[in-house]
Amino acid sequence: MTTATLDRPAARAGVGAVTGSVVTGIGVAAPNGLGTEAWWAATLRGESGIRPVTRFDASRYPVRLAGEVSGFVDEEHLPSRLLPQTDRVTRLSLAVAKEALDDCGTDPAALPEYGAGVVTASSAGGFEFGQRELQALWSKGGQHVSAYQSFAWFYAVNTGQISIRHGLRGSSGVVVTEQAGGLDAIAHARRQIRKGAALMVTGGVDSALCPWGWAAHLAADELSHATDPSRAYLPFDAAAAGHVVGEGGALFVLESDVAARERDARVYGAFTGYAATFDGVGTPRLGDAARLALADAGVRPEEIDVVFADAAGARAADRAEAQALAALFGPRGVPVTAPKSMTGRLLAGGASLDVAAALLALRDQVLPPTTGTAEPAADCPVDLVTAPRETPVRHALVLARGRGGFNSAAVLSAL
């Protein structure tokens, strides 16, 4: 079944002309930069964060590269009482949420008691924490398993810990749709804004770089076995042979444009369109999601200035995405970029990081590059951005596909 949000499209006279949902804060943790501005500068320079795995000994595995967030010191971001009860992914999420809230310039404590909530996306929950406690169970016995295991592994733990730390007691939740989750979470938060929520923290951060998580990644047989980081993940390339997995993502503060104007907030852009579809048997539906998202935003295909591609890094999937884009925009009809080529695919954090890139592209009027791929394959007729491209950017389309048939698309627009 094809689904789309019930939110009405923006007025044709201008996206900012009607009440909508806008982004007023961004927080980022990525393999090529910790913090929004550091990551964005590295992305525009084309700096990759894909390197040999260091978080565990990967020498006995056929895949040994990943996008790891470096320079993150837990004690600098969390109080000591939270360290024993949190997984790596929750620590990253808490740091990123704080950056987004600090960036938005409002005090959640000044909001109505139930006026602010949290919706995040997750694919694995606290996988590394769970592995550690299972090892304790098997080797030492149940009395050595931490009581925090009862929630530290859970998909909703990031939402819960962010809510507790910042006193966000409004409607909250979590979505689990793998790589598509970042867009789905923001769309759910938009619904809450339309229902009257004053503020929502939303997006996705993921991490499962541990032996247990690695086994799950390898089981799908979709990872690149390359040993050269610069040639391991090649979206739309004729030599594409799988993706690199990474950790991190982005979280946002979402508000109504009315509330943002009332407090004279700095606005990165508006979340104007969204749709989700599910693949049929042998029938990819990513193109349908893109068309529905444009209709939801009230934007014509020719008004889209850039597409942030899902960019699977696998020949068949890349070809299917390129064909969907050609059907909607014409062959090479719109600039297409995949900055995730510098970070790897971040599971639930991947689409969120693309949303952050889209918002900063709107702000700075520049398209970030795709690295690794110098020229798209002949059967992938896309105008691939391979170097920073300064160009007017009014509307950006972000695409994401999650394992199992999930497709999501979102439109981000300048005000």
Side-chain angles (χ1 to χ4, degrees), residues 59-82:
S59 61
R60 294 176 295 171
Y61 295 90
V63 175
R64 302 172 188 173
L65 299 178
E68 297 179 336
V69 175
S70 61
F72 184 84
V73 179
D74 298 346
E75 292 78 7
E76 294 179 357
H77 298 278
L78 275 76
S80 58
R81 64 179 177 81
L82 285 179

PDB file of all heavy atoms in Angstrom, residues 59-82:
ATOM      1  N   SER A  59      40.115  -8.261  11.989  1.00  0.00           N
ATOM      2  CA  SER A  59      41.090  -8.901  11.099  1.00  0.00           C
ATOM      3  C   SER A  59      40.634 -10.276  10.610  1.00  0.00           C
ATOM      4  O   SER A  59      41.070 -10.731   9.555  1.00  0.00           O
ATOM      5  CB  SER A  59      42.437  -9.033  11.808  1.00  0.00           C
ATOM      6  OG  SER A  59      42.332  -9.836  12.977  1.00  0.00           O
ATOM      7  N   ARG A  60      39.764 -10.945  11.336  1.00  0.00           N
ATOM      8  CA  ARG A  60      39.314 -12.288  10.933  1.00  0.00           C
ATOM      9  C   ARG A  60      38.053 -12.246  10.077  1.00  0.00           C
ATOM     10  O   ARG A  60      37.537 -13.297   9.673  1.00  0.00           O
ATOM     11  CB  ARG A  60      39.057 -13.138  12.169  1.00  0.00           C
ATOM     12  CG  ARG A  60      40.324 -13.442  12.981  1.00  0.00           C
ATOM     13  CD  ARG A  60      39.984 -14.205  14.241  1.00  0.00           C
ATOM     14  NE  ARG A  60      39.170 -13.389  15.149  1.00  0.00           N
ATOM     15  CZ  ARG A  60      38.573 -13.853  16.248  1.00  0.00           C
ATOM     16  NH1 ARG A  60      38.678 -15.140  16.553  1.00  0.00           N
ATOM     17  NH2 ARG A  60      37.872 -13.053  17.017  1.00  0.00           N
ATOM     18  N   TYR A  61      37.541 -11.034   9.796  1.00  0.00           N
ATOM     19  CA  TYR A  61      36.307 -10.893   9.014  1.00  0.00           C
ATOM     20  C   TYR A  61      36.630 -10.532   7.569  1.00  0.00           C
ATOM     21  O   TYR A  61      37.657  -9.912   7.284  1.00  0.00           O
ATOM     22  CB  TYR A  61      35.415  -9.815   9.633  1.00  0.00           C
ATOM     23  CG  TYR A  61      34.892 -10.146  11.009  1.00  0.00           C
ATOM     24  CD1 TYR A  61      35.609  -9.783  12.147  1.00  0.00           C
ATOM     25  CD2 TYR A  61      33.683 -10.802  11.171  1.00  0.00           C
ATOM     26  CE1 TYR A  61      35.133 -10.079  13.411  1.00  0.00           C
ATOM     27  CE2 TYR A  61      33.194 -11.098  12.441  1.00  0.00           C
ATOM     28  CZ  TYR A  61      33.923 -10.736  13.557  1.00  0.00           C
ATOM     29  OH  TYR A  61      33.449 -11.034  14.806  1.00  0.00           O
ATOM     30  N   PRO A  62      35.737 -10.865   6.643  1.00  0.00           N
ATOM     31  CA  PRO A  62      35.987 -10.534   5.237  1.00  0.00           C
ATOM     32  C   PRO A  62      35.802  -9.045   4.931  1.00  0.00           C
ATOM     33  O   PRO A  62      36.235  -8.580   3.883  1.00  0.00           O
ATOM     34  CB  PRO A  62      34.949 -11.371   4.487  1.00  0.00           C
ATOM     35  CG  PRO A  62      33.846 -11.582   5.479  1.00  0.00           C
ATOM     36  CD  PRO A  62      34.512 -11.687   6.811  1.00  0.00           C
ATOM     37  N   VAL A  63      35.141  -8.309   5.834  1.00  0.00           N
ATOM     38  CA  VAL A  63      34.940  -6.872   5.674  1.00  0.00           C
ATOM     39  C   VAL A  63      35.598  -6.170   6.846  1.00  0.00           C
ATOM     40  O   VAL A  63      35.333  -6.501   8.008  1.00  0.00           O
ATOM     41  CB  VAL A  63      33.437  -6.525   5.620  1.00  0.00           C
ATOM     42  CG1 VAL A  63      33.230  -5.021   5.585  1.00  0.00           C
ATOM     43  CG2 VAL A  63      32.778  -7.185   4.408  1.00  0.00           C
ATOM     44  N   ARG A  64      36.453  -5.182   6.550  1.00  0.00           N
ATOM     45  CA  ARG A  64      37.256  -4.575   7.618  1.00  0.00           C
ATOM     46  C   ARG A  64      37.225  -3.057   7.608  1.00  0.00           C
ATOM     47  O   ARG A  64      38.013  -2.422   8.305  1.00  0.00           O
ATOM     48  CB  ARG A  64      38.716  -5.057   7.493  1.00  0.00           C
ATOM     49  CG  ARG A  64      38.844  -6.578   7.560  1.00  0.00           C
ATOM     50  CD  ARG A  64      40.249  -7.043   7.234  1.00  0.00           C
ATOM     51  NE  ARG A  64      40.295  -8.502   7.119  1.00  0.00           N
ATOM     52  CZ  ARG A  64      41.361  -9.187   6.715  1.00  0.00           C
ATOM     53  NH1 ARG A  64      42.474  -8.546   6.402  1.00  0.00           N
ATOM     54  NH2 ARG A  64      41.311 -10.509   6.627  1.00  0.00           N
ATOM     55  N   LEU A  65      36.320  -2.480   6.835  1.00  0.00           N
ATOM     56  CA  LEU A  65      36.205  -1.025   6.779  1.00  0.00           C
ATOM     57  C   LEU A  65      34.860  -0.584   7.333  1.00  0.00           C
ATOM     58  O   LEU A  65      33.856  -1.301   7.213  1.00  0.00           O
ATOM     59  CB  LEU A  65      36.330  -0.528   5.337  1.00  0.00           C
ATOM     60  CG  LEU A  65      37.636  -0.812   4.597  1.00  0.00           C
ATOM     61  CD1 LEU A  65      37.543  -0.280   3.167  1.00  0.00           C
ATOM     62  CD2 LEU A  65      38.819  -0.195   5.321  1.00  0.00           C
ATOM     63  N   ALA A  66      34.832   0.600   7.918  1.00  0.00           N
ATOM     64  CA  ALA A  66      33.588   1.162   8.443  1.00  0.00           C
ATOM     65  C   ALA A  66      33.745   2.671   8.569  1.00  0.00           C
ATOM     66  O   ALA A  66      34.852   3.215   8.514  1.00  0.00           O
ATOM     67  CB  ALA A  66      33.233   0.552   9.797  1.00  0.00           C
ATOM     68  N   GLY A  67      32.625   3.328   8.751  1.00  0.00           N
ATOM     69  CA  GLY A  67      32.621   4.746   9.061  1.00  0.00           C
ATOM     70  C   GLY A  67      32.411   4.922  10.551  1.00  0.00           C
ATOM     71  O   GLY A  67      31.279   4.851  11.031  1.00  0.00           O
ATOM     72  N   GLU A  68      33.483   5.127  11.300  1.00  0.00           N
ATOM     73  CA  GLU A  68      33.405   5.286  12.753  1.00  0.00           C
ATOM     74  C   GLU A  68      33.461   6.768  13.128  1.00  0.00           C
ATOM     75  O   GLU A  68      34.216   7.543  12.533  1.00  0.00           O
ATOM     76  CB  GLU A  68      34.566   4.561  13.434  1.00  0.00           C
ATOM     77  CG  GLU A  68      34.574   3.064  13.235  1.00  0.00           C
ATOM     78  CD  GLU A  68      35.772   2.409  13.924  1.00  0.00           C
ATOM     79  OE1 GLU A  68      36.789   3.109  14.142  1.00  0.00           O
ATOM     80  OE2 GLU A  68      35.682   1.209  14.224  1.00  0.00           O
ATOM     81  N   VAL A  69      32.673   7.151  14.123  1.00  0.00           N
ATOM     82  CA  VAL A  69      32.741   8.508  14.666  1.00  0.00           C
ATOM     83  C   VAL A  69      33.977   8.589  15.550  1.00  0.00           C
ATOM     84  O   VAL A  69      34.077   7.893  16.565  1.00  0.00           O
ATOM     85  CB  VAL A  69      31.482   8.850  15.471  1.00  0.00           C
ATOM     86  CG1 VAL A  69      31.623  10.222  16.132  1.00  0.00           C
ATOM     87  CG2 VAL A  69      30.246   8.822  14.567  1.00  0.00           C
ATOM     88  N   SER A  70      34.931   9.416  15.173  1.00  0.00           N
ATOM     89  CA  SER A  70      36.168   9.542  15.937  1.00  0.00           C
ATOM     90  C   SER A  70      36.138  10.813  16.776  1.00  0.00           C
ATOM     91  O   SER A  70      35.406  11.765  16.475  1.00  0.00           O
ATOM     92  CB  SER A  70      37.383   9.550  15.001  1.00  0.00           C
ATOM     93  OG  SER A  70      37.312  10.649  14.107  1.00  0.00           O
ATOM     94  N   GLY A  71      36.944  10.832  17.825  1.00  0.00           N
ATOM     95  CA  GLY A  71      37.066  12.018  18.653  1.00  0.00           C
ATOM     96  C   GLY A  71      35.949  12.224  19.646  1.00  0.00           C
ATOM     97  O   GLY A  71      35.881  13.277  20.289  1.00  0.00           O
ATOM     98  N   PHE A  72      35.070  11.235  19.786  1.00  0.00           N
ATOM     99  CA  PHE A  72      33.963  11.357  20.738  1.00  0.00           C
ATOM    100  C   PHE A  72      34.404  10.785  22.081  1.00  0.00           C
ATOM    101  O   PHE A  72      34.622   9.580  22.213  1.00  0.00           O
ATOM    102  CB  PHE A  72      32.727  10.617  20.225  1.00  0.00           C
ATOM    103  CG  PHE A  72      31.511  10.780  21.103  1.00  0.00           C
ATOM    104  CD1 PHE A  72      30.696  11.891  20.972  1.00  0.00           C
ATOM    105  CD2 PHE A  72      31.187   9.826  22.054  1.00  0.00           C
ATOM    106  CE1 PHE A  72      29.578  12.049  21.770  1.00  0.00           C
ATOM    107  CE2 PHE A  72      30.071   9.975  22.857  1.00  0.00           C
ATOM    108  CZ  PHE A  72      29.256  11.086  22.724  1.00  0.00           C
ATOM    109  N   VAL A  73      34.546  11.647  23.082  1.00  0.00           N
ATOM    110  CA  VAL A  73      34.929  11.238  24.433  1.00  0.00           C
ATOM    111  C   VAL A  73      33.673  11.243  25.286  1.00  0.00           C
ATOM    112  O   VAL A  73      33.093  12.302  25.560  1.00  0.00           O
ATOM    113  CB  VAL A  73      35.995  12.184  25.019  1.00  0.00           C
ATOM    114  CG1 VAL A  73      36.366  11.745  26.435  1.00  0.00           C
ATOM    115  CG2 VAL A  73      37.227  12.225  24.117  1.00  0.00           C
ATOM    116  N   ASP A  74      33.244  10.071  25.702  1.00  0.00           N
ATOM    117  CA  ASP A  74      31.963   9.933  26.400  1.00  0.00           C
ATOM    118  C   ASP A  74      31.837  10.889  27.580  1.00  0.00           C
ATOM    119  O   ASP A  74      30.794  11.540  27.767  1.00  0.00           O
ATOM    120  CB  ASP A  74      31.789   8.495  26.893  1.00  0.00           C
ATOM    121  CG  ASP A  74      31.757   7.481  25.754  1.00  0.00           C
ATOM    122  OD1 ASP A  74      31.601   7.900  24.597  1.00  0.00           O
ATOM    123  OD2 ASP A  74      31.898   6.285  26.044  1.00  0.00           O
ATOM    124  N   GLU A  75      32.887  10.979  28.390  1.00  0.00           N
ATOM    125  CA  GLU A  75      32.832  11.765  29.618  1.00  0.00           C
ATOM    126  C   GLU A  75      32.673  13.255  29.358  1.00  0.00           C
ATOM    127  O   GLU A  75      32.271  14.009  30.255  1.00  0.00           O
ATOM    128  CB  GLU A  75      34.102  11.521  30.442  1.00  0.00           C
ATOM    129  CG  GLU A  75      34.218  10.123  31.025  1.00  0.00           C
ATOM    130  CD  GLU A  75      34.677   9.082  29.992  1.00  0.00           C
ATOM    131  OE1 GLU A  75      35.036   9.481  28.855  1.00  0.00           O
ATOM    132  OE2 GLU A  75      34.661   7.874  30.319  1.00  0.00           O
ATOM    133  N   GLU A  76      32.983  13.694  28.149  1.00  0.00           N
ATOM    134  CA  GLU A  76      32.820  15.109  27.824  1.00  0.00           C
ATOM    135  C   GLU A  76      31.387  15.465  27.467  1.00  0.00           C
ATOM    136  O   GLU A  76      31.035  16.650  27.406  1.00  0.00           O
ATOM    137  CB  GLU A  76      33.742  15.483  26.654  1.00  0.00           C
ATOM    138  CG  GLU A  76      35.227  15.399  26.995  1.00  0.00           C
ATOM    139  CD  GLU A  76      36.098  15.752  25.809  1.00  0.00           C
ATOM    140  OE1 GLU A  76      35.541  16.013  24.714  1.00  0.00           O
ATOM    141  OE2 GLU A  76      37.337  15.750  25.955  1.00  0.00           O
ATOM    142  N   HIS A  77      30.568  14.449  27.245  1.00  0.00           N
ATOM    143  CA  HIS A  77      29.202  14.691  26.788  1.00  0.00           C
ATOM    144  C   HIS A  77      28.124  14.197  27.748  1.00  0.00           C
ATOM    145  O   HIS A  77      26.980  14.644  27.647  1.00  0.00           O
ATOM    146  CB  HIS A  77      29.002  14.021  25.426  1.00  0.00           C
ATOM    147  CG  HIS A  77      29.890  14.547  24.344  1.00  0.00           C
ATOM    148  ND1 HIS A  77      29.616  15.695  23.634  1.00  0.00           N
ATOM    149  CD2 HIS A  77      31.084  14.087  23.874  1.00  0.00           C
ATOM    150  CE1 HIS A  77      30.584  15.914  22.760  1.00  0.00           C
ATOM    151  NE2 HIS A  77      31.480  14.955  22.870  1.00  0.00           N
ATOM    152  N   LEU A  78      28.469  13.280  28.637  1.00  0.00           N
ATOM    153  CA  LEU A  78      27.477  12.696  29.535  1.00  0.00           C
ATOM    154  C   LEU A  78      27.937  12.783  30.976  1.00  0.00           C
ATOM    155  O   LEU A  78      29.138  12.656  31.255  1.00  0.00           O
ATOM    156  CB  LEU A  78      27.231  11.222  29.191  1.00  0.00           C
ATOM    157  CG  LEU A  78      26.222  10.908  28.094  1.00  0.00           C
ATOM    158  CD1 LEU A  78      26.823  11.180  26.724  1.00  0.00           C
ATOM    159  CD2 LEU A  78      25.778   9.451  28.194  1.00  0.00           C
ATOM    160  N   PRO A  79      27.012  12.956  31.925  1.00  0.00           N
ATOM    161  CA  PRO A  79      27.370  12.850  33.339  1.00  0.00           C
ATOM    162  C   PRO A  79      27.728  11.412  33.680  1.00  0.00           C
ATOM    163  O   PRO A  79      27.259  10.463  33.038  1.00  0.00           O
ATOM    164  CB  PRO A  79      26.093  13.296  34.064  1.00  0.00           C
ATOM    165  CG  PRO A  79      24.990  13.076  33.084  1.00  0.00           C
ATOM    166  CD  PRO A  79      25.586  13.286  31.722  1.00  0.00           C
ATOM    167  N   SER A  80      28.561  11.246  34.686  1.00  0.00           N
ATOM    168  CA  SER A  80      29.078   9.919  35.015  1.00  0.00           C
ATOM    169  C   SER A  80      27.974   8.928  35.355  1.00  0.00           C
ATOM    170  O   SER A  80      28.114   7.730  35.096  1.00  0.00           O
ATOM    171  CB  SER A  80      30.064  10.019  36.185  1.00  0.00           C
ATOM    172  OG  SER A  80      29.432  10.596  37.315  1.00  0.00           O
ATOM    173  N   ARG A  81      26.864   9.391  35.906  1.00  0.00           N
ATOM    174  CA  ARG A  81      25.789   8.470  36.294  1.00  0.00           C
ATOM    175  C   ARG A  81      25.150   7.788  35.089  1.00  0.00           C
ATOM    176  O   ARG A  81      24.547   6.709  35.223  1.00  0.00           O
ATOM    177  CB  ARG A  81      24.721   9.215  37.095  1.00  0.00           C
ATOM    178  CG  ARG A  81      24.001  10.291  36.313  1.00  0.00           C
ATOM    179  CD  ARG A  81      22.920  10.995  37.134  1.00  0.00           C
ATOM    180  NE  ARG A  81      22.301  12.066  36.373  1.00  0.00           N
ATOM    181  CZ  ARG A  81      21.348  11.880  35.462  1.00  0.00           C
ATOM    182  NH1 ARG A  81      20.933  10.643  35.178  1.00  0.00           N
ATOM    183  NH2 ARG A  81      20.832  12.901  34.812  1.00  0.00           N
ATOM    184  N   LEU A  82      25.257   8.408  33.895  1.00  0.00           N
ATOM    185  CA  LEU A  82      24.643   7.809  32.712  1.00  0.00           C
ATOM    186  C   LEU A  82      25.551   6.810  32.008  1.00  0.00           C
ATOM    187  O   LEU A  82      25.076   5.988  31.227  1.00  0.00           O
ATOM    188  CB  LEU A  82      24.240   8.902  31.711  1.00  0.00           C
ATOM    189  CG  LEU A  82      23.001   9.728  32.046  1.00  0.00           C
ATOM    190  CD1 LEU A  82      22.752  10.772  30.972  1.00  0.00           C
ATOM    191  CD2 LEU A  82      21.772   8.824  32.190  1.00  0.00           C
TER     192      LEU A  82
END
